Each structure stands twice: as C-alpha cells, then as structure tokens.
Amino acid sequence: MAQLTKEDTELSGDAQDLAVSKLTEMTTFLRAKTEDGTASVQVVESTTQALISGLANVVKAAARRTSTVHDHFTPKVFPWSSTVIQQSLQTISTVKQTVLTTIAPGEKPKVLTTPSLAIILQRDECRDFRAGAYVLEDFDSLFSVPSCDDLFRNGTIQPDQVIDTHMTHFSNNPYQWATNISLEDTVVSLEFTSEGQNIAVRNLTEAVDIIIPRDDSSEFWNTVRISGDDITGVQDVTAFNNTDIHENQTFHVLLRPSNPDAELTLYLGEDQYPTLVTYTSKQSLPLATAFTLEVSEDRNITADPFLWQIGILNSSSTYYIGISYSVKDYLDLELLVFTSSCTYFDETTSTWQRDGCQLGPLTTSNRTHCICDHLTSFGSTFFSLANDVAVQTQADAADDIPIIPIAVASAFALYLVVASWAYFKDKEDKVMVETMAVKDRDPLAHYQYDVTVVTGFRRNAGTSGNVNIRLIGDYGESELHTISDLLTNRKVLQRGSIDSFLITTRDWLGEIKEIAIRMDNVGKSQSWYLSRVMVRDLQTDQRWHFLSNRWLTTDQDRREVFEIHLPVTDENELRQALPLFVARALFGLRNDHLWFSILTRSPRSSLTRVQRVTCCLIILLCQMVAAIIFHGISGDSTLGEFRLGWEQLIVGVESGLVAFVVSIVITALFKSTAKITERSEERHCCGGNGDVEKKPTKSTYCKEVGDNENTDAEIEEVEFELADWHSARGSVSGDDWQNRKNVKTKDGICCSCCCRCCGHPSRRCSHLAWVLAFATCSGAAFCAIYYGINFGKQEAFSWLVYVGVAFLQDLLILQFIKVIVFAVFVSLCCKMYEEESWEPVLPERLAAVDSWTTATSAL
C-alpha cells in the first residue's frame, strides 16, 4: 500500500478514501495480532513502518489537493479531504499505540520516519521521565520539556506510573479544515498518554520550548551598503507597510553584515524617517547577551546576535528603519524584514489559536521558536515583507542628483544630434545608389549591361588608379571602358564599396565568358582588392558572376599597366557555402551590426541611418528599464565603487537580452515597411497596367498631375515609350526625351514604372512603424524616470553599471551573433550574394548632366 500511494500527486479523492480505508483495516488487524501475542516485534516494526508510509502519503495528497484550490489567505477545503485526513490521523494514533505495546519502560525510543512524517515513541515510568529536549534530527523539530513533576502537577500521576511520549512532525499541515489562520506547512505535536488515555498538559509554570523548522531558501534578502565615513546621523535603509495581514504578529529585522564584528544601532520610525533624536524604538547589534537553549551535552541553539525582535506594530502605519554606523569604512549588509507568530490547534473549536504561546528569541528565517504553557499540535506563521531599499542620510538626502532622469534626457539629446547627422547622410546615400554612366560611352550603342563591382573590406582595399573593364562574350566583346573616371564627382572603388556602372554595346555579346580588368599605378593607392563582379543584361535580366577575392597591384617603381582576365564563375562554385558565408559576414559587419552600421551602412540598404539611430535609442532605453526591473529583483545596491561581480554581470546580461529582442522586432518592422513600399510602388506605377513592360530600373522621379486632363493619345504615347524603353532611349535626343518625359498623365500615371507615387497605403505602414518606435521610446523613458527618480546615488551608480554591461553585451556580443547567424542562414539556405537582390537605380533627374540619356547625347 505504501508503494501504491507513493505518487501522492496522482491520488484522486476516491483513491485517497479507498487507500485510507484499507490502511485502517490493516492497522486494526495488526493491533489484534499484537495484543494476542501472535505478531513478533520485528513483524510489528516492519509492518508499522509500511503503514506509516502509506498514511503519510495519503495525508500529503489530501493536504496538497486542498492547498491547490485556494490562495494564500482564503483557503477552501473539500469535505472529502477533511474526512480523509481525520481518518488518517486516527489510524496513525492506532499505529503509535500498537508500537508502544512492544516497548518496555526505559528502552530506547522508537523512531518511524517518512519523507513527510516522523514520529518518536518512548515509554518511561514517571520517576525516570527525562526532562530536556526531544529532537527529530532529520527534521530539526524540537520540544524541550520540564520534569515529570512540573508537567503533571495535579498529582494524578504516580511515580511508578508508565508515561508514553508521542512526538510527531508533519511536513504538510494535516489540519486543513482549520482555516482561520494561514500557516506554514510544518506542524509538530507532543502529547503524553498513560494506558492509552491522553494526559492533559496545560497552565505550566515552567514553559515548554518548541522549535518549528521552515524552508527559507526562497526568501528575498535585500543587500545594502552603508558608509561610516563622516556619518553623524542615521542612514535610512528600508521602509515597509504594516497591514491587517500582519495583525498580532511579531516583526523582526535580521542582518547579515560582511564584518561579523561590526557594531550597529538600528532605529525605527513610525510614519517618518528616524533620527538620532526622533525615533520609535532602537536596538544595538550585536546583542550583548544571546539566549541559548541546551539540546544536548555537545549541542546548543543560540539566538542570532544580529536579530532585532521589534514586537507587534500598529497595522495602519508605515515604518522606516535606519542604521547608525560609526566606523569610517563601508559595510555590506544583507537585510530581511519578516513577521512570525506561534499558533496551536484547539481541538475543542477546531481552530488555530495564539493564547498561551509567545514567540521566542531563537526565531530566525529558517525556524520559529515558540514558548508555550501547554502541549498540543503547534504551527507557525511567517511573512517576508517586500520592502524598498534606499540608503541615504538626512544630511545628504537633499543633495542627491537625479542621475537616471539625466541619463534618459542625455540619451534623447544625443539621439537628436546623431539623427540630424544621419538624415543628411541618408540624402547623400540616395545619390550613391544610382547606376553611373561611364564617360567613354558610345552614343550609338544601345544594348545595355549593368556591371556591379564589389571592392573588398580589407585595410587599404580601395584604389585611386585608373581602372578599365571590358566584357567578352560568345559573339564579341565590348570596348574598354574606364570605370574610375566618371561623369559625376562620386568616389568609386573605395574600401567596402559596391559600385554599379552602365556599359553599352552596339550588339548583343551573347553569353559573357570573361571580363578583362586593366589598371595602372597612378595615384597614392596603387593596389586594389577586388572581391567580385556581377554583370547583368538589362534586356533579359540574365546575370553572370566573376569571383576574384585577390589583390590587383602593379610595379610601383615603373609606370606600367596590369591586366587580368576573370572567367565566369559556374553555379556550383558560386553557391559554395564558405565563400558565401565570408562575403555575407563581412557585409553584415558593416550593414547588419546596428551600432556600427550607423557609420558604415550600405547606401542600398532598406534600413536608413535615421531608423538605425532610432533602433539604437530603443535598445538603450529598454536596457535602462530592464536594469531597473532586474536591479530591484536582485536587491543589490553595493556597486557604489563600480565593483563588478557575477550578480551584476547576470543583471546586465538579462537587461541586454530584453532590449535586444525589442530592437529585433522594431528593426524587422522598419525593414518590412520598406519592402512593402517597394512592392506598392511597382504595383501602383503606370496605373497598374499589367501590359506595360517594366524597365529594369527604379526611379525616384514621378510626374505631377496637371490641372488639365491628358488625352488618351498622350497616355498611349507614354505607354509606348515605356514598352520600348531601351531602344527609344538611345535614339532620342536629350531635349526630345525631356519633352516626352514631361508629358502629363491621368490619375497620377508616372513616366517610370517603378516611381514613388504619393498617398498609397505603404506610406501609412511606414508611419505605423515610426509611431510604434516612438511609443516604445516614450514608454521606456517614462518607466525609467518614474521608477528611478527616487534611486539614491549609490543605487543610481549601480544602475549605470548594469546599463553599461547591457550596452557592451549588445555592442560586442549580441550584434556579432546576429551577423553570424544571418551569414550562416544565407550561406546554407538563401545561397545568394547581397547585390543579386538589388535592382539598378536611375538618377533622380533624368535630364541632369550625370543622367544616362544626357551622357549619350553629349557624347
């Protein structure tokens, strides 16, 4: 039966009722066999141990099922649970009487133990009754009783009368039906019987000491640092509110100083901060004399010298505790404020009562010491008070600087400065993405190729020399075009740059087999690290890749020309994981690392610099809020000198992780709105006419809709121009093309099929992203200021350390991990270089000197 009831969590109400019935039947049978002498002592011991184990499991199951259906202060008991527990207690009493029949007076006590129930049974004559402590060693529960004469003063017990001692320890409160007081789980009892009859013990002149253990591993200790340097007043370290929940309970303050020899004076103030003159109560610690309870010849229990037992307080007040420390040095303190009380079970009323018991000086966080004038079953209450820790003195309280509000305001001020700079850089980047026309372009060449050149990211990878390129195909080759000297003043072929050039030929070259790169040693940077080249046929959108990943250099002592031929890279070599990973990781360092990319962002990235700066502000503010939250949970304010330990690192890491997750969401939202905008532009341009062939470029140009409506003939003319974009653009002069470009259309139809139309829903998506971003910033800033405004100077410094750890974690670890993870994903799943997803971009002003058509007509 003990094995069947071992899994107490699986015992239903019916199973408990059946189990206790069977156990009762077996106990009755064993009692009969013991009385008629047919059961040996060994059989009784082994059987009673099994019975006690089964009964303990049933009591635990019934108590557990009762406690899971109520909160801490409003218990609810099922009738069947109460019945099962009461029947189990009666059967346990029968088992104890059965065991006692096998014990002779003066023999060693019998001990029955299970994980949740322990029993000591002893039989003595009254004259041999031992005064002192009865201890269950494995459970740390204890009763210290006086002599037989003091216990039984009514004269009904004769010196030679046999006294049976029953000491019981329940790890689960068996009196679940008594709901007037919320107790800790542990209940202990001590009773005396003689010839099976209970001996009442009450109104003792010499009280009984009772130790009730409890588990304090989950208690919340506040950690504070106080300073004795030039301190003449009281340092306020904690405040707590007393409520009706703590009525008739004794308040305690328990300290664990880093220096066990420290001498402190604690002050208590009611509804005001205590001072050296004005206070409600005070106590010097450590205690001069400590109460000691003798357990055995070699063991005593001594009161904690740093425990202040305040007493019962007014339930409607707020209390403040201050500390005076005269030594000119820092002292770290762990502090716990709790209430406790002693209760006993009144079998007459089936309720828990407190009269006749008082709390003893041996009470700590892991035990309750009760001093009572009677014997029965005893329990205890314990509440750890949530308290605010803020170390400061009255002398310097007015001089505290609001460090956290200043930090938040500084973050916003820095954001405004950096965002202003980023805004102008974003405007410059719009020009940097445009495909550039080479200066030596043939005006009669109309077949177009977009050539994208990727310069490596190594140190001094860019070049200032003259670089020329020639395309070589199955049916011919292009002219040798200079790509380092353009119509514009843009710097090209710089370290980490991705530059696109328009190369035109008179005829189709067929399949591109190789390209020729020629360069000389003109200028200061005579070497060039060429990563790769991609050639795109703008008519068919066919692409060829040429991997280089090498230094191109010439002899610096002589003015010579260096030329190499790069063969086209086949698909298998192009999609190898390792080169893709390296290329994507290097690109990610400058474009996906949120902090670095503010300076190194690729102009073609969908995430602007202003958006990146905003995401960084979100990260910083979320780190500030998370640091306040986790700082409060850790209760640590000992970092006034910026000492860094494991606890501080953990809090910083937790804060950084929370902020990182928020930044990922906001960043993804910004990127998704950019992609929605691109798709919306393509879907809305040219009136959404699916029959119009789209040119393979984007343009930021969009014609204004005039006051007068356009005719159908004008619309057809625009559609004709778009459908025959590539041939028409080469055969029309610059002025004629400008005239055609300015033709007005109906309903916002644009001259470019990838134009940026105004007023479509993608703008609203972008606005939503910005609203969410600034709502996050505002909410985080408000929470940081609201909860951090009352931080003391040392707490604020501690908070700064947490934020610093979180910032460095994001800067040096999390962002790098993100880059590596993206690179692995791209190399294994997407298998695509970054430039493959980009489309050529027309200059914004088609008629400008750097536009393709003007360049054609000018040459």
Side-chain angles (χ1 to χ4, degrees), residues 62-258:
R64 184 192 301 275
R65 292 179 64 84
T66 301
S67 62
T68 57
V69 297
H70 65 270
D71 59 37
H72 197 57
F73 303 111
T74 57
K76 178 181 179 181
V77 182
F78 290 129
W80 55 262
S81 295
S82 174
T83 303
V84 167
I85 294 177
Q86 290 181 10
Q87 187 176 353
S88 299
L89 294 178
Q90 292 174 0
T91 305
I92 290 173
S93 178
T94 303
V95 171
K96 291 191 290 184
Q97 291 296 336
T98 302
V99 174
L100 284 169
T101 60
T102 65
I103 304 175
E107 285 188 2
K108 293 179 60 177
K110 299 289 185 179
V111 180
L112 303 175
T113 61
T114 72
S116 60
L117 172 62
I119 300 172
I120 291 181
L121 299 172
Q122 188 169 348
R123 173 166 283 189
D124 295 289
E125 292 183 355
C126 184
R127 56 172 164 257
D128 298 326
F129 182 84
R130 178 178 60 87
Y134 291 82
V135 184
L136 279 168
E137 296 291 348
D138 295 336
F139 295 84
D140 293 328
S141 55
L142 176 148
F143 282 87
S144 180
V145 298
S147 65
C148 184
D149 293 338
D150 292 326
L151 281 172
F152 315 114
R153 299 179 60 88
N154 54 10
T156 58
I157 303 300
Q158 303 301 317
D160 58 350
Q161 188 171 345
V162 176
I163 304 297
D164 296 329
T165 304
H166 310 245
M167 178 179 173
T168 308
H169 172 108
F170 286 97
S171 296
N172 300 92
N173 175 17
Y175 303 105
Q176 293 288 337
W177 60 89
T179 60
N180 61 311
I181 296 178
S182 181
L183 296 183
E184 291 289 293
D185 287 334
T186 302
V187 172
V188 298
S189 67
L190 181 65
E191 60 179 351
F192 297 99
T193 61
S194 180
E195 298 178 354
Q197 299 299 316
N198 186 64
I199 303 175
V201 179
R202 58 175 63 95
N203 299 323
L204 297 174
T205 56
E206 185 176 349
V208 177
D209 290 288
I210 307 164
I211 298 296
I212 306 174
R214 66 175 303 273
D215 181 15
D216 68 342
S217 59
S218 61
E219 296 308 328
F220 174 69
W221 289 75
N222 286 296
T223 303
V224 297
R225 164 170 288 190
I226 61 174
S227 172
D229 188 14
D230 297 327
I231 296 298
T232 57
V234 178
Q235 299 177 81
D236 302 313
V237 295
T238 189
F240 59 88
N241 293 314
N242 189 12
T243 63
D244 294 338
I245 298 174
H246 311 298
E247 185 180 2
N248 297 323
Q249 299 196 41
T250 303
F251 282 76
H252 300 75
V253 178
L254 181 59
L255 301 179
R256 290 177 181 170
S258 58

Side-chain angles (χ1 to χ4, degrees), residues 501-715:
F501 308 94
L502 179 67
I503 303 294
T504 58
T505 61
R506 296 195 177 189
D507 298 303
W508 178 48
L509 300 181
E511 291 286 333
I512 306 298
K513 296 299 183 183
E514 64 179 23
I515 60 174
I517 305 291
R518 177 183 295 182
M519 65 175 293
D520 57 28
N521 58 359
V522 175
K524 296 181 180 180
S525 301
Q526 300 173 1
S527 298
W528 180 36
Y529 188 85
L530 175 61
S531 178
R532 57 192 180 275
V533 178
M534 185 184 74
V535 178
R536 185 200 305 250
D537 187 326
L538 294 182
Q539 287 66 222
T540 64
D541 202 37
Q542 187 176 2
R543 308 175 190 189
W544 300 270
H545 295 266
F546 304 86
L547 299 183
S548 173
N549 293 321
R550 71 180 77 173
W551 284 99
L552 306 183
T553 183
T554 60
D555 190 344
Q556 298 182 5
D557 297 332
R558 295 183 299 173
R559 187 178 183 83
E560 63 176 20
V561 176
F562 174 77
E563 180 173 329
I564 65 166
H565 287 254
L566 297 178
V568 66
T569 304
D570 60 43
E571 192 70 17
N572 293 332
E573 182 181 358
L574 183 67
R575 305 307 177 189
Q576 289 181 358
L578 183 59
L580 274 169
F581 171 78
V582 173
R584 188 60 182 82
L586 291 175
F587 180 81
L589 286 177
R590 60 181 296 229
N591 196 69
D592 293 332
H593 191 294
L594 203 55
W595 300 91
F596 294 167
S597 62
I598 295 175
L599 299 175
T600 61
R601 165 192 179 266
S602 170
R604 291 180 179 265
S605 174
S606 59
L607 195 64
T608 66
R609 295 179 195 265
V610 175
Q611 291 171 341
R612 294 170 191 269
V613 176
T614 304
C615 290
C616 290
L617 177 66
I618 291 174
I619 290 178
L620 195 58
L621 293 175
C622 289
Q623 288 172 349
M624 292 179 178
V625 174
I628 290 177
I629 295 173
F630 291 118
H631 171 82
I633 292 176
S634 69
D636 183 14
S637 59
T638 63
L639 298 179
E641 295 179 339
F642 293 96
R643 295 192 309 172
L644 197 60
W646 283 112
E647 185 175 354
Q648 291 74 46
L649 287 175
I650 291 173
V651 171
V653 168
E654 290 171 341
S655 304
L657 289 174
V658 170
F660 179 73
V661 172
V662 175
S663 71
I664 288 291
V665 174
I666 299 297
T667 302
L669 187 59
F670 274 130
K671 288 185 176 181
S672 64
T673 54
K675 293 179 180 178
I676 291 173
T677 302
E678 293 176 4
R679 291 194 296 267
S680 299
E681 288 170 358
E682 294 179 359
R683 187 166 55 249
H684 285 79
C685 64
C686 300
N689 191 343
D691 297 332
V692 177
E693 178 186 354
K694 290 193 280 189
K695 64 183 179 62
T697 59
K698 295 180 184 177
S699 174
T700 57
Y701 177 79
C702 179
K703 294 205 297 284
E704 302 285 346
V705 178
D707 295 331
N708 300 323
E709 294 185 353
N710 298 315
T711 64
D712 293 338
E714 289 173 331
I715 297 176

